[in-house]
Amino acid sequence: MPTQEDVFTLGGRTFRSRLIIGTGKYRSLEETRAAIELSGAEMVTVALRRVEPGKPSVLDAIDRSRVTLLPNTAGCYTADEAVRTCRLARELGMADFVKLEVIGDPRTLFPDNEATIAAARILVAEGFTVLPYVSDDPIACRKLADLGCAAVMPLAAPIGSGLGIRNPHNLRIILETVKVPVIVDAGVGTASDAAVAMELGCHAVLMNTGIALAKDPLLMAEAMRDGVRAGRKAFLAGRMPMRLHASASSPEDGLVK
């Protein structure tokens, strides 16, 4: 029998795809465009501080009639820098959706949670739909959700590391703690990482390097698309209980003696 479509609602908008991808590190604009198409993503991120007005950029690879643009504040190290960057996005006519990043350390690229919360408070008050990149800290995520952020985006592992989900326990706590969507962001290296995030109950996955730096980025874009879909279906289906001992697959009643 037909079932209701499993859609994803974020900031008042509805998406069928639960995969969000970045647009950095690809070898060409053509590869970027193809990866977006094959991934099935309906939202893509762009680092505003790396876009030079009037010059060819990743913006040229995005069909904004089909894909929602998510400008991000990558490269910002203070709350003030991040807020100014988001205001610039608004002045350029981009959507009021913003991915908020305030980095606290240039070597690990871990987020500065305190500065992120400070910036989020200002941006939410100015009417932005804020999606903050944050560490997998349940307390920080709760504070951001309470401020009015449309989602929280805890890291799975350091940006660009491809290490996969290092702390599923914290993600489970975050999912129990906040009432807004939880989007795993950073550290996803392959399709199984994306599937695990979705099986935990996360609402979506955001990635860039895992696709862009794969040996075959276009094939990996498809793999990530399918990994997210499979993980979501597994979550909805509900996995069988884990048992210490074996349990026979075939019924034992009526066995021939």
Side-chain angles (χ1 to χ4, degrees):
M1 294 184 63
T3 57
Q4 185 176 1
E5 187 178 14
D6 179 41
V7 295
F8 170 46
T9 302
L10 186 63
R13 299 191 186 188
T14 300
F15 302 91
R16 291 183 299 275
S17 173
R18 293 173 182 267
L19 174 60
I20 305 168
I21 69 170
T23 51
K25 302 181 180 179
Y26 289 97
R27 288 182 281 260
S28 66
L29 292 182
E30 290 73 21
E31 186 176 74
T32 306
R33 187 179 296 109
I36 294 171
E37 180 69 25
L38 291 169
S39 73
E42 296 172 309
M43 179 181 286
V44 298
T45 69
V46 173
L48 277 181
R49 301 192 77 188
R50 299 189 178 102
V51 174
E52 295 187 50
K55 294 186 178 181
S57 72
V58 293
L59 293 175
D60 300 320
I62 300 171
D63 179 0
R64 294 178 62 181
S65 68
R66 190 184 65 82
V67 176
T68 297
L69 189 63
L70 181 63
N72 71 57
T73 62
C76 293
Y77 284 83
T78 68
D80 286 343
E81 282 183 323
V83 169
R84 286 199 303 271
T85 301
C86 291
R87 288 169 177 165
L88 174 62
R90 176 177 276 172
E91 290 173 7
L92 292 174
M94 298 182 184
D96 284 338
F97 273 66
V98 291
K99 177 187 172 185
L100 174 61
E101 296 184 33
V102 185
I103 301 301
D105 175 58
R107 184 173 63 89
T108 64
L109 299 181
F110 283 134
D112 182 332
N113 289 346
E114 183 179 357
T116 300
I117 291 170
R121 182 177 288 108
I122 296 169
L123 293 169
V124 169
E126 293 184 3
F128 286 93
T129 300
V130 182
L131 283 63
Y133 163 66
V134 67
S135 64
D136 56 350
D137 177 353
I139 305 304
C141 288
R142 187 194 68 201
K143 289 181 178 180
L144 287 162
D146 289 346
L147 281 175
C149 292
V152 293
M153 303 202 297
L155 55 79
I159 291 175
S161 67
L163 289 172
I165 296 173
R166 298 291 87 196
N167 199 340
H169 176 70
N170 274 24
L171 290 179
R172 289 192 181 100
I173 294 175
I174 292 167
L175 286 161
E176 291 179 353
T177 301
V178 304
K179 303 302 182 184
V180 298
V182 176
I183 303 171
V184 163
D185 179 12
V188 172
T190 190
S192 58
D193 298 332
V196 168
M198 299 306 296
E199 287 172 4
L200 288 171
C202 295
H203 300 80
V205 180
L206 193 156
M207 66 186 70
N208 184 183
T209 309
I211 297 176
L213 294 192
K215 291 182 179 179
D216 186 336
L218 303 188
L219 187 58
M220 184 60 82
E222 293 183 311
M224 292 296 195
R225 176 198 66 198
D226 295 343
V228 168
R229 290 176 178 173
R232 176 64 179 173
K233 288 180 179 180
F235 170 74
L236 294 175
R239 65 160 295 142
M240 62 166 284
M242 299 177 72
R243 301 186 176 95
L244 179 62
H245 300 291
S247 176
S249 298
S250 302
E252 297 182 359
D253 296 339
L255 292 177
V256 176
K257 303 293 186 179

